[in-house]
Amino acid sequence: MSFPRRIFLAGTGAAAAAAGLGVPPATTPTTPSADLHWLDGPPPAPSGSTWGVPWPRGQVAKDATFALATTDGASVPVQSWPLAYWPDGSLKWTAHATGAETPVTGAFRLSTGVPAAPRHPVVVSKSGDEIRLGNGVVDVRLAAHGPTPITSITRGGTVVGHDGRLTLLLQGQHDDANVVRRNEWVGYVTSATIEQAGPVRAVVKLTGRYRLPGDVRSVLPWTLRIYLGAGDEAIRLVHHFVWDADVDHDLIGGLGLQIAVPMAEEPHNRHIRFGTAAGGIWGEPVRVLTGLRRDPGSAVRAAQIAGTATPPVDQWSQQVRDGYRQLAVWNDFTLFQETANHFSVWKRTSAKASWLKHAGHGDRASGFGYVGSTSGGLAFGMSDFWQRFPRAVDVRGAAGDTATVTLWSWAPQAGAMDLRPYDTTAHGLDLSYEDVQPGFATPEGVVRSTEMWLWALDSTPTRDRVAQLPAEVSAQIVASPARYHEAGVFGRWSLPDRRTATLAAYEDGVDREVAFYAGQVDQREFYGFWHYGDVMHTYDADRHCWRYDVGGYAWDNAELGTDAALWYVFLRSGRPEVFRLARAMTQHVSEVDTHHSGRFAGLGSRHAVSHWGDGAKEARVGESFTKRFAYYLTADELLGDLIRSSLRADATLRSIDPLREVLPPQTQAPARVRIGPDWYALVSNWLTEWERTGDTRWRDRIVTGMRDIAAFPAGLFTGEAGGAVGFDPTTGHLVNFGRGDFDGGYNLAMAFCGEQILWEALDLFDVPEFRRTLLDFARYVQAPSAEKIARYGRDFNPQVFKTIYSRVTAWAGEQLADPTIRSRGWQQFTSDPSGQPWPAAVRVSGTAVPVPVDEIPTRGTSNPAGDFATFATNDFAQRTLAYISLLAIAPQEAP
């Protein structure tokens, strides 16, 4: 086939998409700028934030600087750095950070210019093994080597925290053994890097491993990033570990950050505060003076509740003044979040006495609190506290000179973390959709992170302040949907469109189904240390529950682009609840579902009962395309590391063949992949690294593969088993095995955002021969038999799903300026039952379920795949992705 180049280029990019929707093309302003706002509305107090902004191609020079101001023109100190570049070298994404000097205002404008200087700039220095961060409010000292990462935290010359260390409780037996013995391992720092040195934001990355003192062995490599902003009272810490231990003999019994807090003043002026997710506070002094048989006086009681200094003892009532030293002094406190819906507070006077485990209770603790005296102390917090249960906060020694606070990301009170498979035998792909293979159901290389906060305070915070601490640190700045759209990033997607009743119904369906999943996360309690962020794959309408225990139907692991669907919904809506849902899923997939070291480095695990339990280890799970949304919107350094880790898939594919269970071994190439989704996933990894670094080696790997495919006689219809070809990880070349062309089984080729990956790549650089090959595939993959025969001299069945390939078909019509083919794309979508929005959920109650639940009403079918009388996340994800893409590509043909 031969098509004029102007036809291929027609309609590509965001400008054409906007024109198709009747939106005038964006004009380049004299001074490039972006309007911004708080995601959840203004925070309760001045708060810092880190976020990303996209820029249209060619608009902003790579060496540009940026200034931030409120909408009324007041300058706001900001620190900026590049995240990604367009092929011409101009900035594609930039990252920006503000500190606590950011005013509480409704909106901002970011523009090129000279940034304002902060009043309290961050200064970073290094002397020997000590790294020091200071901003005029807080001084933090870190160790570049050794067992104590955080040497001290000081405010106003007073140390409020010192000897901060990472602790790991490891045991060799499960808790059902007769004797369980735990050893305390310590996180030793082996290297330190100053990643940013201010003036608005400082970042230090510490790297190390856990060691048992006196033992040469080390386990669980970790990083700890420490952040301090201009004017901040708090430091932010992000810790993550990589699993490299033995699931049978190395059992995590506790994992946390421990720090010492000097305690001043009398016990009755020392206070413990724990917050709840609902905004409540559990707060008590170390020595309680309320509720006594004798009244100490209203001023004393009021001070105890408020956390302020009590009047001098000689002003108390005489009976209390004479006997208060006989009162109990509470030395130890624990807040334990044992499930997503229950926490308890314990306290005791000493290790020789019993715990009072009924000191307090509730459903969800915020994970934020305080320990110290009325003259100062340490506030603390952990994000996603109840969502990632079991978690805990321990305070020990509050009655002595020094208290110890431990923020447990895995609570010791919960027993050992069990990472073994859920069964010792496989249960069959045919019935349970489970692909278990010996040696593959392993967590080796998976990751989990914890975000923590430490405040250096000069007094006990008010109850209101403790309640608002989570909002202070979760404040997120974003741009508008129109701003993201006009920048031309993330491929082809549309803004909401309600021109017709049918489109309005689809828009309502998208909103309703996202709300349904958000409700299911809470109702079905998709929470837990390893689970939070994921949803389930397929529903069991007979049991009225998700198939949590049925092989590949259990955890979704973002199968078929669930994470991408949520991010596109956020981009076009700006809704904060969608942002939170999508970000949690990206964190989960990038950490729990992807292997970052070991035998499967760079690959991820297919959906399963245990997140890493399936034998299908594939590049599509760990691909960078779906992780870029969160990375570019938040500039999260850890996520950037994990995205770069996906590049390891190239070498891993030499030994882990995705088709090893389907086809016999081959010797024609170093590795074997399917063009889609395997090679497409690699393309997304290379494309991301290229745009982040400007290193053209990664672009050239993509071009090499594109030219190889274009030279194959069958193009993208090449290969048996859905596109099997040879792959050389060293050069990027693909090899045609000469078998199975046109045989079909291409249903998964585009199912993991393959079309978006290729569209975006071709929008960044032109490979005419591959563009023709892709168009050939898109034009005929859903074409009638007569058209395929006319083109290829034969008929064939690609065996693809109508909804998944509807946008590919419409794209062919767009490129060829053919409204008939564009309409065919919509027809494939609207005629597919999977393309229809689900009806509203119904409530199921009574004896059919333990507690009332919501589910989508279904009707039984004879589907031989076993998905009868049910609904599945695959349908939601692909329907959402198809609709949003179709509306961008063929808006005039929309129903």
Side-chain angles (χ1 to χ4, degrees):
M1 299 177 66
S2 177
F3 299 97
R5 187 172 185 272
R6 63 181 177 84
I7 295 295
F8 285 103
L9 296 178
T12 59
L21 288 171
V23 179
T27 58
T28 303
T30 304
T31 301
S33 64
D35 291 331
L36 309 168
H37 62 277
W38 296 104
L39 176 65
D40 297 290
S47 303
S49 181
T50 303
W51 71 96
V53 174
W55 303 95
R57 190 187 324 217
Q59 188 180 85
V60 181
K62 67 184 302 181
D63 59 352
T65 59
F66 294 88
L68 184 67
T70 63
T71 50
D72 60 7
S75 295
V76 180
V78 66
Q79 186 167 310
S80 306
W81 61 98
L83 289 178
Y85 303 92
W86 291 102
D88 63 4
S90 62
L91 290 172
K92 184 175 184 180
W93 282 92
T94 52
H96 309 274
T98 60
E101 296 178 2
T102 307
V104 178
T105 183
F108 306 90
R109 170 160 288 185
L110 180 75
S111 58
T112 53
V114 179
R119 293 189 303 276
H120 300 287
V122 181
V123 177
V124 182
S125 62
K126 187 176 188 297
S127 177
D129 273 351
E130 181 180 81
I131 299 174
R132 184 173 178 179
L133 296 77
N135 63 4
V137 180
V138 176
D139 182 271
V140 182
R141 302 192 182 198
L142 309 172
H145 292 89
T148 311
I150 304 173
T151 306
S152 66
I153 303 172
T154 303
R155 177 166 183 163
T158 300
V159 175
V160 299
H162 62 87
D163 293 325
R165 64 176 189 163
L166 298 171
T167 183
L168 167 68
L169 302 181
L170 216 58
Q171 63 189 57
Q173 300 178 76
H174 286 275
D175 293 330
D176 54 4
N178 292 329
V179 177
V180 174
R181 182 177 180 180
R182 291 176 176 174
N183 293 313
E184 184 173 5
W185 296 54
V186 177
Y188 278 77
V189 182
T190 56
S191 65
T193 304
I194 299 172
E195 295 185 325
Q196 291 190 8
V200 175
R201 181 183 195 249
V203 185
V204 176
K205 178 183 177 181
L206 305 180
T207 303
R209 295 179 66 88
Y210 290 96
R211 296 178 184 172
L212 183 65
D215 196 332
V216 296
R217 184 182 176 220
S218 63
V219 296
L220 306 189
W222 54 264
T223 67
L224 179 69
R225 277 188 170 91
I226 298 93
Y227 299 79
L228 181 65
D232 287 353
E233 292 182 304
I235 62 171
R236 175 179 177 242
L237 305 104
V238 176
H239 168 266
H240 93 278
F241 71 91
V242 182
W243 180 263
D244 70 344
D246 184 334
V247 296
D248 292 311
H249 301 101
D250 294 313
L251 312 177
I252 293 179
L255 183 71
L257 172 73
Q258 190 175 92
I259 187 165
V261 181
M263 301 295 284
E265 305 187 46
E266 288 287 326
H268 48 266
N269 283 327
R270 301 179 183 184
H271 292 271
I272 312 298
R273 299 275 195 258
F274 296 133
T276 72
I281 299 297
W282 185 95
E284 291 189 0
V286 171
R287 177 188 284 135
V288 181
L289 299 177
T290 63
L292 301 177
R293 186 179 184 189
R294 306 301 180 203
D295 182 9
S298 61
V300 176
R301 289 185 282 107
Q304 286 239 301
I305 300 304
T308 56
T310 62
V313 174
D314 60 10
Q315 297 179 20
W316 300 1
S317 67
Q318 181 175 347
Q319 287 174 304
V320 176
R321 183 173 67 235
D322 292 343
Y324 78 95
R325 293 187 181 278
Q326 301 175 39
L327 296 174
V329 177
W330 300 99
N331 192 60
D332 302 331
F333 299 79
T334 288
L335 183 147
F336 175 33
Q337 184 79 49
E338 57 186 314
T339 72
N341 287 307
H342 186 263
F343 73 85
S344 57
V345 179
W346 310 352
K347 68 179 187 179
R348 69 181 181 183
T349 56
S350 74
K352 296 179 180 180
S354 66
W355 285 99
L356 299 186
K357 294 188 177 182
H358 55 283
H361 66 87
D363 52 4
R364 294 170 173 176
S366 68
F368 288 73
Y370 171 81
V371 59
S373 66
T374 59
S375 58
L378 192 74
F380 50 79
M382 275 189 283
S383 299
D384 298 330
F385 186 77
W386 59 268
Q387 293 95 328
R388 295 195 191 183
F389 77 92
R391 290 195 158 174
V393 177
D394 281 344
V395 177
R396 300 289 182 264
D401 294 336
T402 303
T404 301
V405 177
T406 308
L407 305 181
W408 292 108
S409 56
W410 181 273
Q413 297 84 354
M417 182 188 296
D418 196 344
L419 305 185
R420 295 174 298 174
Y422 77 98
D423 202 349
T424 56
T425 61
H427 303 285
L429 184 63
D430 186 49
L431 292 181
S432 72
Y433 203 25
E434 182 175 70
D435 186 17
V436 171
Q437 299 169 32
F440 279 65
T442 172
E444 181 186 21
V446 303
V447 164
R448 209 47 169 150
S449 67
T450 300
E451 181 183 49
M452 297 168 282
W453 298 83
L454 298 174
W455 281 262
L457 300 182
D458 55 10
S459 63
T460 299
T462 66
R463 290 171 175 262
D464 287 345
R465 176 78 194 281
V466 174
Q468 75 183 27
L469 288 177
E472 289 183 15
V473 299
S474 64
Q476 178 69 50
I477 291 177
V478 295
S480 68
R483 181 67 180 77
Y484 294 129
H485 189 263
E486 70 184 12
V489 293
F490 297 135
R492 304 296 301 278
W493 56 279
S494 59
L495 295 172
D497 190 342
R498 294 179 175 272
R499 288 172 294 156
T500 68
T502 301
L503 290 178
Y506 275 111
E507 295 287 355
D508 290 343
V510 170
D511 292 343
R512 185 173 60 247
E513 289 168 17
V514 170
F516 172 74
Y517 273 92
Q520 290 291 287
V521 169
D522 198 59
Q523 187 180 94
R524 310 290 182 152
E525 297 189 19
F526 295 158
Y527 299 121
F529 183 87
W530 291 107
H531 301 323
Y532 180 58
D534 207 351
V535 296
M536 289 280 174
H537 187 283
T538 305
Y539 198 72
D540 184 336
D542 295 315
R543 286 190 288 174
H544 302 290
C545 67
W546 293 88
R547 302 185 193 180
Y548 69 94
D549 59 347
V550 185
Y553 289 117
W555 290 112
D556 186 60
N557 287 19
E559 175 78 352
L560 298 198
T562 313
D563 47 357
L566 291 175
W567 279 118
Y568 280 122
V569 172
F570 166 73
L571 289 172
R572 67 200 308 263
S573 70
R575 287 158 46 194
E577 70 276 15
V578 183
F579 180 95
R580 306 293 182 201
L581 195 63
R583 187 173 187 185
M585 185 169 290
T586 296
Q587 287 179 314
H588 181 275
V589 176
S590 62
E591 295 180 6
V592 180
D593 300 337
T594 304
H595 301 268
H596 294 279
S597 66
R599 182 183 180 190
F600 307 114
L603 306 182
S605 297
R606 174 183 174 270
H607 43 99
V609 172
S610 300
H611 295 286
W612 47 77
D614 200 84
K617 307 297 185 185
E618 301 193 8
R620 60 181 171 90
V621 181
E623 71 178 20
S624 298
F625 182 86
T626 53
K627 317 303 182 295
R628 295 189 313 161
F629 297 97
Y631 176 62
Y632 288 140
L633 289 170
T634 66
D636 180 348
E637 282 85 2
L638 173 57
L639 183 54
D641 290 347
L642 299 181
I643 286 174
R644 182 155 288 142
S645 175
S646 67
L647 294 169
R648 300 180 182 183
D650 295 9
T652 299
L653 288 169
R654 290 179 181 271
S655 57
I656 305 299
D657 182 351
L659 293 168
R660 64 191 177 278
E661 296 290 299
V662 179
L663 298 175
Q666 58 82 32
T667 57
Q668 294 175 254
R672 178 171 55 193
V673 298
R674 293 158 296 184
I675 296 176
D678 306 316
W679 180 73
Y680 299 158
L682 301 181
V683 168
S684 85
N685 299 341
W686 302 332
L687 185 149
T688 303
E689 188 67 7
W690 171 46
E691 69 181 2
R692 288 178 66 183
T693 65
D695 187 340
T696 56
R697 290 180 303 154
W698 302 104
R699 177 206 61 196
D700 294 345
R701 291 177 75 83
I702 302 173
V703 173
T704 295
M706 285 182 169
R707 288 176 175 162
D708 288 338
I709 293 170
F712 296 164
L716 289 170
F717 291 115
T718 294
E720 58 187 332
V725 295
F727 170 59
D728 187 338
T730 302
T731 65
H733 273 294
L734 300 179
V735 176
N736 186 0
F737 291 143
R739 295 188 296 274
D741 293 356
F742 300 104
D743 277 354
Y746 303 100
N747 56 307
L748 294 183
M750 297 289 179
F752 302 89
C753 299
E755 76 290 341
Q756 291 281 17
I757 293 167
L758 297 181
W759 293 340
E760 188 167 355
L762 289 176
D763 193 42
L764 296 175
F765 53 87
D766 193 25
V767 182
E769 60 268 44
F770 181 77
R771 190 182 288 270
R772 287 192 292 269
T773 301
L774 177 60
L775 179 57
D776 210 19
F777 178 85
R779 168 69 177 81
Y780 293 102
V781 71
Q782 289 184 310
S785 295
E787 294 181 16
K788 287 184 285 189
I789 292 171
R791 166 65 181 94
Y792 296 104
R794 57 171 290 181
D795 192 13
F796 59 94
N797 180 8
Q799 299 172 11
V800 298
F801 297 122
K802 295 168 68 174
T803 290
I804 294 175
Y805 282 81
S806 60
R807 61 264 205 185
V808 174
T809 297
W811 179 80
E814 178 200 50
Q815 299 298 292
L816 295 169
D818 189 330
T820 301
I821 300 177
R822 293 197 299 269
S823 295
R824 180 183 296 164
W826 276 106
Q827 290 163 3
Q828 293 290 330
F829 177 65
T830 58
S831 64
D832 186 354
S834 296
Q836 299 304 307
W838 288 334
V842 297
R843 175 56 61 98
V844 178
S845 59
T847 58
V849 289
V851 296
V853 296
D854 296 323
E855 64 180 37
I856 303 299
T858 57
R859 292 192 299 269
T861 70
S862 58
N863 186 341
D867 295 335
F868 48 85
T870 191
F871 55 92
T873 302
N874 279 358
D875 294 338
F876 156 75
Q878 284 299 315
R879 177 170 55 250
T880 302
L881 290 168
Y883 171 73
I884 291 173
S885 187
L886 280 168
L887 196 55
I889 295 166
Q892 300 306 322
E893 286 72 30

